[in-house]
Amino acid sequence: MRRVRISVFRKRRLLACGAFFLVLFLFGEAPGSLYAQVREIASDSSSGLQAYADSPSNLQAYHVQSAIAIDGRLDETGWHEAEAISGFLQSEPEEGTPASQKTEVRVLYGASDVYIGAVLFDDEASDIQQTLGRRDDMNRADWFVVSIDSYLDRKTAYVFGVNAAGVQFDAIRTGTGFGGGPNRGMDESWDAVWASNVHVNSEGWVVEMRIPYSMLRFAKASTQAWGIHFERRMPRRGEEVQWPLVLRAERNNQVANYGTLQGLDDIAPRRNVQVRPYTVSRLQTEEHPDEPGEITRDGTFDVGGDLKIGLGTNITLDATINPDFGQVEADPAELNLTAFETFFDERRPFFVEGTQIYEFRIGQGGPGDGGNLLYTRRIGAEAPIIGATKLSGRTAGGLSFGVLGASTGHDFDPGRHYGVVRLSQQFQSLSSVGGILTVFDGPEEEEGRLRSLAGGADWDLRFRDNTYNLEGFASFTHRRWSVEDESPETGVAASLKAAKRQGSFRYDLAANLFDDQYNPNDVGRLRRNNYVSLDTGIDYQVNDNKPFGPFQRGFIGFNTGHQWAYVDGLYLGTDMRMFSRWTLRSFQGLGFDFFVDYPFGGYDIFETRGLGPRAQPVAVEFGGEFETDDRRAWRVGPEVSLTFMEDGGREYEVEIRGNWNVGSRLTLSADVEAEWEDDVIAWSSNESFIRGDAGWLIGAEADAPDELGPDDYVSFDDQGSLDNVFRSVDPFDEEGHYYVPIFGPRDTRSMDVTLRSSITFTRNLSLQIYGQLFVARGRYADFQILQDRDTLVPVETFPKRDDFAFSSVQANTVLRWEYRPGSTLYLVWTHGRRAEDELNPLAPWGASPYNTPMDRQIADAFDIIPNNVFLIKLNYTFLR
């Protein structure tokens, strides 16, 4: 291990680099802005971009007095008299090229609804893909999608889509256009009650939509103007077209670049009132806890409900009583050998819907990236939810707000209470400032009653037509047990980031500070604190996103971060990331990654679980991925990564993802992932030692000395090695106990097979099946004691072993029937099996679980008595 200190000169160089980026941010030109790019591209092209650059993206809505029949045929008079827009341009594959197929869209509005009518011409109408699927699953089919920014805040839009089989999709889209999959920046949990129909004919297909005003939020004004955007997807051609076109370089500001729907006169917001009671019957079978091999059965019947009320024009109250989330897919099994908690995505509809209102991100660009002051998975993690309420809205002055409260407890006895208040004020079109406060009140425990507060302010200031921004936050946490002599724990965190956020060339610079007392994890989530970091990133979209050579487009990026401990300034290391993504003209995808961690040394202050830092070796990772032609009914995407460490450790990962549309009703997907480690020196446990009359003793359990008694130690023959080891180690207490981290070269093997299938009988009746098989095993060898932060000392006679194996099988089957809009019947079967095997740390030892063949591990899992849950749930929506 090397001992490396960062010099004052190097720190000054980093600060100088930061100053350079800040000057470039504040005073640099914006060659990548939307209009500059359009003018540049249009000047040497006679394509549709010239018309796009020269004409405003406005559409006039047409007022109708009578209701429109939603039958997929635009035969009412209003459709013939309304203004039609066409001139769609490709966003994929050749950005800015006119669409290969003509599309015409018209908009009507009446006293209570807005109507969208689209004629999607296709010169190969017999090949239109009419693939059935579950609602909100934007499957491989021909789609038409409309996005409405009814607030005209240029940041948030309501999205409504219909495919050629009549399947509906709705979501809320935020201003950010980037994200995984085709549905960039969308919250698909939001469900509206609206009507649509389609009609396929010899010239193409027709879409007709009716969207009630009660499903939208907009200001009360005599004349309305809304943001509007239309998109059409034709997967067999690999083509996506838009009106107006949002260039790839501008999709980080997706909603800001929408067109404008004008002429909405004398309409008023309508109150949205939904009452959704439910009943659920549940039968659970599992192994009896006191009689191994025997099965116990438990049946329950529950009632509860959800309530949504529009209070005024732009305020909505959501409430739930005794909610049931039985149809929600189970969390995946995984092997977590890190010092940090595993965070899973929120899947429960009540909490997922509208989550963007409460988002307060922390840890930007640093080791804690991905943190948030609200992590709703905390609510209900320890006890069932009794009730929860959300109040959210937006004022005419641009102030968005959200209030959330929840109580949990067994047998309807509240024991934990959660509260959140979030405010965000928009100004100057796209800039905003906001604040948040979270509260947690826990149950009485031996230590007392835990109460905590967390809060802060955040800002996002936009400059030069949204090309640049300055964003950040300042936050605090305060935790206190209700014991008079217990001192409170108070911490602070802050971040500042300057970025060029749109254009072919983008960059950012961020500084972060988290002190060692900052802890938002009672209501929020954060993996680590106690660091100061400086991070920067650059990315470039090759050739202004235009095709070149064999490529449709290319993307290259680089980012790096430098971290120091907040408490003592210890250098925590540097990471560097280079990555690129390429799309071939054959519609195949390529990706390459190159990562370097700790190139100049550094320390991990968390791996020892509280016993000090440990020097880290240089690690280099190479990665690559490939994806087949996305126009086909099937797709395969292999991915591989190799990591090599300075101390001899190796990590390998291989993953293959695939999906297959088998006809118009059946979809199959699979994800197979294998990981293995060889000789990766890693933490195993923290152990207690004491020198006895006859030699050294070790704690029978891996606990601190103050948790062990005299009878909790066993002697072993250290062959005289520990006297030298502990000569330079400070004792844990005055009695001569030592408490030290144990490391060793670790070998692990794991395999994860996840399968999903969806069978759609009609647009409202579907069967979804999810299954995961996960097996993992590992072992440590050649144990070593961490003598100081730079030195590991081998202990050849270490008396313990650390070998383990784990197997998990879980499945979730859901039959879903939406028997009327907003009302659903669920039939659910959840199945789970788990098998764990750990070697007794102290001798005598049996066979190592690590040597168990994989097929034996799988068989062992299936030999376990399963936990089965059978559930029938019925809800009904009363809509006003």
Side-chain angles (χ1 to χ4, degrees), residues 443-750:
E444 289 289 348
E445 300 180 7
E446 291 183 4
E447 301 89 346
R449 186 167 188 166
L450 176 62
R451 292 184 171 94
S452 67
L453 293 174
D458 60 349
W459 56 88
D460 182 1
L461 311 178
R462 307 291 178 90
F463 307 96
R464 298 200 176 186
D465 293 329
N466 212 18
T467 300
Y468 297 91
N469 80 316
L470 185 67
E471 62 181 291
F473 70 87
S475 178
F476 76 93
T477 61
H478 180 82
R479 308 174 75 241
R480 184 183 184 93
W481 292 91
S482 59
V483 178
E484 293 183 1
D485 59 353
E486 188 74 25
S487 60
E489 178 184 301
T490 302
V492 295
S495 175
L496 183 64
K497 178 181 178 181
K500 180 176 183 290
R501 56 180 291 115
Q502 63 182 27
S504 294
F505 177 73
R506 296 177 298 188
Y507 49 81
D508 62 71
L509 175 70
N512 305 275
L513 181 151
F514 289 75
D515 78 8
D516 61 318
Q517 298 295 304
Y518 185 77
N519 182 1
N521 286 324
D522 294 317
V523 181
R525 70 177 191 182
L526 184 69
R527 281 193 169 89
R528 58 188 302 180
N529 56 13
N530 190 16
Y531 73 89
V532 177
S533 71
L534 182 65
D535 311 282
T536 187
I538 302 172
D539 61 66
Y540 173 62
Q541 300 188 41
V542 181
N543 198 37
D544 290 331
N545 283 306
K546 294 181 290 187
F548 61 98
F551 301 104
Q552 290 183 20
R553 62 182 180 275
F555 172 87
I556 300 173
F558 170 81
N559 59 54
T560 181
H562 314 269
Q563 296 95 34
W564 298 265
Y566 171 82
V567 171
D568 56 11
L570 182 69
Y571 178 52
L572 303 183
T574 293
D575 60 80
M576 298 179 180
R577 303 284 190 268
M578 297 182 64
F579 45 91
S580 65
R581 298 294 181 267
W582 310 87
T583 302
L584 301 171
R585 292 183 185 268
S586 57
F587 290 87
Q588 296 168 327
L590 296 170
F592 302 98
D593 303 299
F594 175 67
F595 301 160
V596 181
D597 285 332
Y598 303 101
F600 313 116
Y603 295 88
D604 188 323
I605 59 176
F606 294 99
E607 187 181 11
T608 63
R609 279 65 169 176
L611 292 186
R614 181 231 167 185
Q616 295 295 302
V618 179
V620 179
E621 178 181 343
F622 302 90
E625 61 183 72
F626 174 76
E627 197 166 66
T628 58
D629 187 345
D630 63 6
R631 296 171 298 177
R632 298 182 179 273
W634 56 269
R635 296 179 69 182
V636 177
E639 183 176 344
V640 62
S641 68
L642 311 172
T643 303
F644 304 93
M645 300 177 184
E646 182 185 25
D647 57 9
R650 301 287 185 268
E651 296 179 353
Y652 313 91
E653 180 178 352
V654 176
E655 182 177 7
I656 300 178
R657 303 176 304 276
N659 58 69
W660 181 24
N661 289 292
V662 188
S664 62
R665 298 180 184 271
L666 174 62
T667 301
L668 304 175
S669 68
D671 189 341
V672 181
E673 182 177 2
E675 298 183 34
W676 59 100
E677 298 176 323
D678 287 329
D679 295 326
V680 175
I681 297 178
W683 177 88
S684 170
S685 62
N686 291 333
E687 300 287 351
S688 296
F689 295 87
I690 189 171
R691 186 74 158 85
D693 295 336
W696 284 92
L697 297 89
I698 186 172
E701 302 292 336
D703 291 323
D706 56 1
E707 299 178 1
L708 300 174
D711 296 333
D712 293 327
Y713 286 85
V714 295
S715 62
F716 70 102
D717 182 9
D718 71 305
Q719 298 182 357
S721 61
L722 291 188
D723 288 333
N724 291 328
V725 171
F726 290 124
R727 188 169 289 118
S728 57
V729 177
D730 293 331
F732 178 82
D733 54 26
E734 295 179 356
E735 298 177 3
H737 291 95
Y738 292 88
Y739 189 45
V740 293
I742 305 299
F743 286 76
R746 183 177 68 202
D747 296 343
T748 63
R749 305 288 186 266
S750 69

Side-chain angles (χ1 to χ4, degrees), residues 716-722 725 743 781-785 793-801 845:
F716 70 102
D717 182 9
D718 71 305
Q719 298 182 357
S721 61
L722 291 188
V725 171
F743 286 76
D782 301 329
F783 290 95
Q784 306 162 46
I785 291 177
V793 179
V795 181
E796 296 181 0
T797 60
F798 187 74
K800 292 189 176 183
R801 296 274 298 275
W845 297 312

Side-chain angles (χ1 to χ4, degrees), residues 822-870:
S823 302
T824 311
L825 171 68
Y826 296 96
L827 302 179
V828 182
W829 172 37
T830 300
H831 176 92
R833 302 170 185 258
R834 295 168 62 93
E836 298 184 47
D837 187 9
E838 293 183 330
L839 197 67
N840 180 17
L842 289 168
W845 297 312
S848 171
Y850 182 80
N851 296 325
T852 305
M854 186 171 293
D855 60 343
R856 183 66 258 170
Q857 276 189 271
I858 297 173
D860 289 344
F862 280 98
D863 287 340
I864 299 295
I865 294 178
N867 184 337
N868 288 301
V869 176
F870 304 91

